[in-house]
Amino acid sequence: MVRTPTAAAVAAALTVAALGLTPQPARAAAPAPTGSPAATAAASPDLTFHDIPGSGGITLKGNVFAPAGATAGRTYPLIVLPGSWGMPQIEYVAQAKQLADSGYVVVSYASRGFWLSGGQIEVAGPPDVADVSAVIDWALAHTPADPGRIGVGGVSYGAGISLLASAHDPRITTVVALSGWADLIESIYSGRTQHLQATGLLGAVGRATGRPGPELDRILDDFMNSRLDREQEMIEWGRVRSASEQVDRINAHGTAVMLGNAWGDTVFPPNQYASFFEKLKGPKRLEFRPGDHATAEVTGLFGLPNDTWTNARRWFDRHLRGERNGVDTEAPVQIKSRSAGGYEGYADWKSVGAAATEKLALNDTEHLFTGVNTGADGGVVLLSSALDQFAKIAPTASVPLLPRTFSAVWQSERYGSDRHVRGTARLHTTVTPTRSDGTFVAYLYDVGPLGIGKLVTHAPYTFHGRTPGRAFGVDLDLFSTAYDVPAGHRLALVVDTVDPLYAEYNPFGAQLTFTSPAADPSYVAVPLR
């Protein structure tokens, strides 16, 4: 099925007009022109559209920016930007122009299977990785790109593909991966729980803007319908698409990697990026900010001032152009609190929240029935954390009014001073189920004087094959965050069993009991600055 180009053409026209560009007519890839590539670039410095040969004989719809006034015989560092999930080839026009203005050749393209690019959606599979290398080959042949200075980057899907490509193509020396994933399984199946809203959204966008292949259709169907007999097959499929499984290759190449994500990313939560960052051995930088999936980068895609893209350009400038701009002398981990304030720098991820850990004891036994949404939940995919970012409106719940038949609640004393939560809170508890399978979700709330709780963090947990009536231990990392709890407030841990963000496996009539054995007390460990 051929997708109509109308929406992409309109978007391209509006973006180009807003930026004051004069695009050259689209043209197919041709043999290398007579004369130097630099001379060709100098003659056509503006945005140009191209049909670029991808791997396996498909055609990728792309565009090129080269530095204006490029001189004959001179080469320039190359940046390749694979398109995000569902986005057309003009996604990065604003940032590509800024990069070209500062001396880069920039090639961006719609990823295979989307819009007018050929092939089927492979979800960052081997063909997508090979496409990046094919685009680099084409750029070296048709633009004044320097083969010794090559970077890749992108947002979301483009970030995931970029990281994987850097593991396979040693020519890539620098990566900027924003709002992406390094571990696909941990992103959409954390706590052995399907992230249904996120996966459903991705599937719907993929079908609307692209062509899913039979493998993707089957994997999505198995995943969304909880076919546990195919769980291991799905996990292996995800591992192939996870840069965390290939970090040794990236380290062997000495690739300079910058990672950026939002605390509330409901598609690719931050924990998996932090774990991956710790495994990197080359030059590296990790940035976490308030927001949801890609909301930290979106204004920059329209050409507006944006610190995420500013730091991305600084990273490219340092590692592709050799500029001593200080980005590599700053603390490698840079985070912003969801509450207020600027960046805080840390030497590594382990140092975030390492100053102190406060344990909220979960002493009381709590017994709850499953299968009812109590009103405590993680919000709505893409929306809730964006509201938290732009309007400081986090998902809330009235903690005193939560139905105790279907939820468990433990609260701290009121704090006499502020608590600066930083990093990854961890739940340790003991659960006794009445059925072999089940799901629960743990929420940490900042509870004010009126009992209204603002969501600090949460995470789901699913179990299968447990013996009914037999207790088992649970250790669950909640999603990492940076949040300031005001003096006079308290922290509360709430557990219930239904959240619209996630799949749940609670049979009708199932019950869960949370206890704190004397030999193994239950608690939530909260890391503090």
Side-chain angles (χ1 to χ4, degrees), residues 443-469:
Y443 309 90
L444 189 66
Y445 282 103
D446 160 24
V447 184
L450 299 179
I452 302 300
K454 292 185 178 180
L455 187 65
V456 177
T457 181
H458 76 287
Y461 183 88
T462 293
F463 59 88
H464 298 289
R466 293 290 179 177
T467 302

Side-chain angles (χ1 to χ4, degrees), residues 216-227 230:
L216 175 55
D217 282 336
R218 176 174 54 81
I219 290 291
L220 275 177
D221 185 65
D222 291 345
F223 186 82
M224 298 295 283
N225 290 286
S226 306
R227 295 196 172 97
R230 299 177 186 174

Side-chain angles (χ1 to χ4, degrees), residues 312-361:
R313 291 194 297 273
R314 292 175 67 216
W315 190 254
F316 282 133
D317 288 345
R318 178 68 187 98
H319 296 286
L320 292 180
R321 300 176 62 193
E323 289 190 5
R324 297 194 174 279
N325 53 23
V327 72
D328 57 336
T329 61
E330 297 169 357
V333 177
Q334 297 284 325
I335 69 172
K336 274 187 176 181
S337 168
R338 289 165 48 202
S339 306
Y343 285 101
E344 301 167 8
Y346 298 86
D348 51 33
W349 177 249
K350 294 188 295 291
S351 300
V352 178
T357 299
E358 189 166 274
K359 287 187 176 181
L360 171 58

Side-chain angles (χ1 to χ4, degrees), residues 47-100:
L47 170 65
T48 56
F49 294 92
H50 301 266
D51 290 340
I52 302 175
S55 65
I58 73 158
T59 297
L60 299 169
K61 294 293 183 178
N63 54 67
V64 175
F65 273 103
T71 57
R74 180 181 176 185
T75 58
Y76 302 84
L78 169 67
I79 297 176
V80 174
L81 303 172
S84 299
W85 187 269
M87 294 296 288
Q89 70 194 75
I90 50 86
E91 174 186 8
Y92 299 112
V93 162
Q95 289 302 319
K97 181 181 184 300
Q98 292 186 45
L99 287 164

